[in-house]
Each structure stands twice: as C-alpha cells, then as structure tokens.
Amino acid sequence: MLAVFLKTLPFFGLIGLGWLAARTRFFPHEAAAWLTKFVFYFALSAMLFRFAARLDLAALFDGRFVLAYLGGSFAVWLIGMAAARARGLPLAEAAMEAQCCMIGNTGFLGVPMLVVLLGDRAIGPVLMVLTIDMLVFSTLITLIIHAGRSGGLRLASLAPIGRGIVANPMILSMVAGLAWAQMRLPLPGPLDEFLVLLGAAATPGALFAIGASLAGRRLQRLAASAWLSGAKLVLHPLAVALAAWALRVEPFAAGVMIAAAALPVAGNVYILAQHFGVAQQRVSAAILISTALGIVTIPLVMVLIGQA
C-alpha cells in the first residue's frame, strides 16, 4: 500500500500545487481557465492522438469489456437516480447527481496517471472507458435535461448534442489516431517528436489545472456531496468489478477498468451543471471531496487490483 501510495503521490502533489497557486491568487482564475483550454485542445489531444495511432482497432474493442463497464456504470447511475428521486429531487437534479456517481476524471487524471502507473497496455482500456463516458453517459444526461425542460425529446434538441460530440477535441483526436492506425501509416520522426513534446505537457498541465480549479470550490450541501463522493469512489469501482467478474473480462483490462472507475468526479460534470444551472453546489463539492479522498482511495484500489 505504501509503495503504491508513493507512486500516486506525485500526481496528487501536482494537483495540490495547482490548488495552492490558485488559492494564494498567485495563479489567477483566468489563468486556470486558459491552462485548462490549452490542455484540453492541444496537449491532451496530442497525447490521445499518439496513443490511438499506435493501437489496433480490432484488438481495442472488446465486447465483454464494453458490456461490463456499461452494465456496472449504468447500475450505479440508476442507484444515484433512485436515491435522488427518493429525496424528492426533480428529474434534472436527479440525473445530475446520478452523473456524479459514475463519471470519473478519466481525461485529465486517468489518462496521464493510469498509463504511467500501469504501462502502455492500459492505453486501450482507458481510451475505451473515456469514449463510453463521453458518447453514452454525457449524451444521456443532456437528453434527459432537454426532455425534462421541453416536455419531451425534440429533433431540434439533438443537433446541439451531435455538434458537441463532433467538436469535442478528445473524441476528434482519438478518432483521427485510430484512423491513422487503421491505414497503417507510420508516424514520421518530426511529427512523432512534435506529439511527444506537446503531449508531455498534458500530465503536469492537466493535474495543475485540476488543482487550480478546486481552489474556487466551496464545501456546501455536505451530506449530499459526501454521498455522491462515496458512490463514485466506492460504489462505482465495486459495481464495475462485479460486472467484469461476471462477464469474465480479461484480468488486466478489468483492473484498468476498475481503476478508472475509482477516479474522482470529473470536472466536466460541473461544466454541465453550470451550463444547465442544475445542482452546481453539490457537484462542485463532490468534485472537491472525491479528489481529496482519492489520495487514499485510489492507491487502495490499485493495491486490491494487484492482489486480485
């Protein structure tokens, strides 16, 4: 446990450094926003393209892996939805809480950290988790909120969702990389070095940006936020682990899937909450709490995966 904790500590150290810089206002809020934009559109996209360009699409797609992650995640999503509805929350707020329970910070934290800790074999499973989260669950909550506000789904509400998916740089970079791999094109030396150089900024930049974004969050609605954090850090990896065991997912891929499920609540859930004006305080506090607790829970999950 100590060895794994020490391996993950530098990642959370960078998050802490970003938090400290923003908290002391040495790194202003506007700078954090621009750093996040740089990572999202450039550094992380370069890293994902280079990762995907070295993958075999046929080998990447595993039906049992997809079903296990979808099944486990959707079960937790339904639990989160049911718990929120039992407290009398409207549909939009309940859906946002359900999203908190199972959308992890795979892009900014999972991709950099898990690939470093688990090796290049983790690239395919991590990208698969990221793709499912973005294509399935982010689309699901957007449809639910649109349907709840307009009294039903309309064709006009589907166009912005489609544009958002197509314009997402993480999706674009992964699709472009996989297309490059399918055409069996080599990466020219200068291009590869360019991607390595730019992609190397993704890990420190993303972690620093996570910390800086946490500095402005406040701990409000603690009871609800604590439940959402617990569901994300404990219930989600447990449900995914059970689904992976039931479907006999290959052990290493299952371990990566479980580790990804153990990640704290993703920042893009707050972006959605802010965009729709739904449960911002709860989501913000859940991101802060789950990220802080992740310093301990993620190494613990990594140890359990290693012993499985």
Side-chain angles (χ1 to χ4, degrees):
M1 176 67 184
L2 179 60
V4 176
F5 174 76
L6 292 176
K7 284 185 178 180
T8 59
L9 190 59
F11 295 92
F12 288 99
L14 277 169
I15 293 175
L17 183 62
W19 179 87
L20 181 63
R23 189 69 176 174
T24 57
R25 301 188 184 280
F26 180 81
F27 201 76
H29 175 74
E30 295 79 10
W34 284 109
L35 176 60
T36 300
K37 200 166 189 177
F38 164 73
V39 172
F40 186 59
Y41 282 95
F42 298 99
L44 189 58
S45 295
M47 175 185 282
L48 291 174
F49 175 86
R50 187 169 181 271
F51 283 168
R54 296 182 292 163
L55 291 175
D56 181 352
L57 184 58
L60 171 64
F61 185 83
D62 182 343
R64 286 182 297 179
F65 181 99
V66 173
L67 286 176
Y69 184 75
L70 272 175
S73 299
F74 193 61
V76 174
W77 194 93
L78 289 175
I79 291 171
M81 172 69 81
R85 296 292 278 174
R87 288 168 25 229
L89 295 181
L91 182 62
E93 289 189 36
M96 194 62 69
E97 287 202 358
Q99 199 80 350
C100 269
C101 291
M102 48 68 54
I103 293 291
N105 203 343
T106 310
F108 273 45
L109 180 59
V111 172
M113 184 171 71
L114 295 183
V115 172
V116 170
L117 294 177
L118 301 175
D120 285 352
R121 285 180 63 197
I123 293 174
V126 170
L127 294 189
M128 186 63 69
V129 167
L130 182 61
T131 301
I132 294 171
D133 281 349
M134 290 190 296
L135 293 183
V136 177
F137 292 103
S138 293
T139 301
L140 175 63
I141 188 173
T142 306
L143 289 174
I144 289 174
I145 292 177
H146 274 295
R149 290 183 171 179
S150 60
L153 283 177
R154 298 178 180 177
L155 188 61
S157 66
L158 299 179
I161 298 172
R163 286 196 299 268
I165 292 173
V166 172
N168 189 309
M170 288 197 287
I171 294 177
L172 285 175
S173 58
M174 286 191 291
V175 170
L178 289 172
W180 191 286
Q182 284 299 106
M183 292 185 289
R184 303 188 184 281
L185 298 173
L187 278 175
L191 175 60
D192 189 46
E193 291 179 12
F194 169 79
L195 293 173
V196 169
L197 186 62
L198 182 57
T203 299
L207 298 175
F208 192 95
I210 291 172
S213 69
L214 293 176
R217 304 192 189 281
R218 298 291 181 268
L219 287 177
Q220 298 173 321
R221 308 290 296 270
L222 282 179
S225 301
W227 147 247
L228 297 176
S229 300
K232 182 67 200 72
L233 296 175
V234 179
L235 194 58
H236 190 206
L238 180 60
V240 166
L242 290 173
W245 173 78
L247 291 171
R248 299 182 180 180
V249 178
E250 188 273 323
F252 180 81
V256 176
M257 182 200 310
I258 296 166
L263 295 170
V265 181
N268 62 7
V269 181
Y270 179 74
I271 293 173
L272 283 172
Q274 193 173 42
H275 176 73
F276 291 114
V278 176
Q280 298 103 307
Q281 292 179 347
R282 268 164 286 164
V283 174
S284 178
I287 292 171
L288 180 58
I289 294 171
S290 61
T291 303
L293 292 178
I295 299 173
V296 175
T297 59
I298 291 175
L300 179 59
V301 169
M302 300 289 287
V303 170
L304 293 175
I305 291 170
Q307 293 178 347

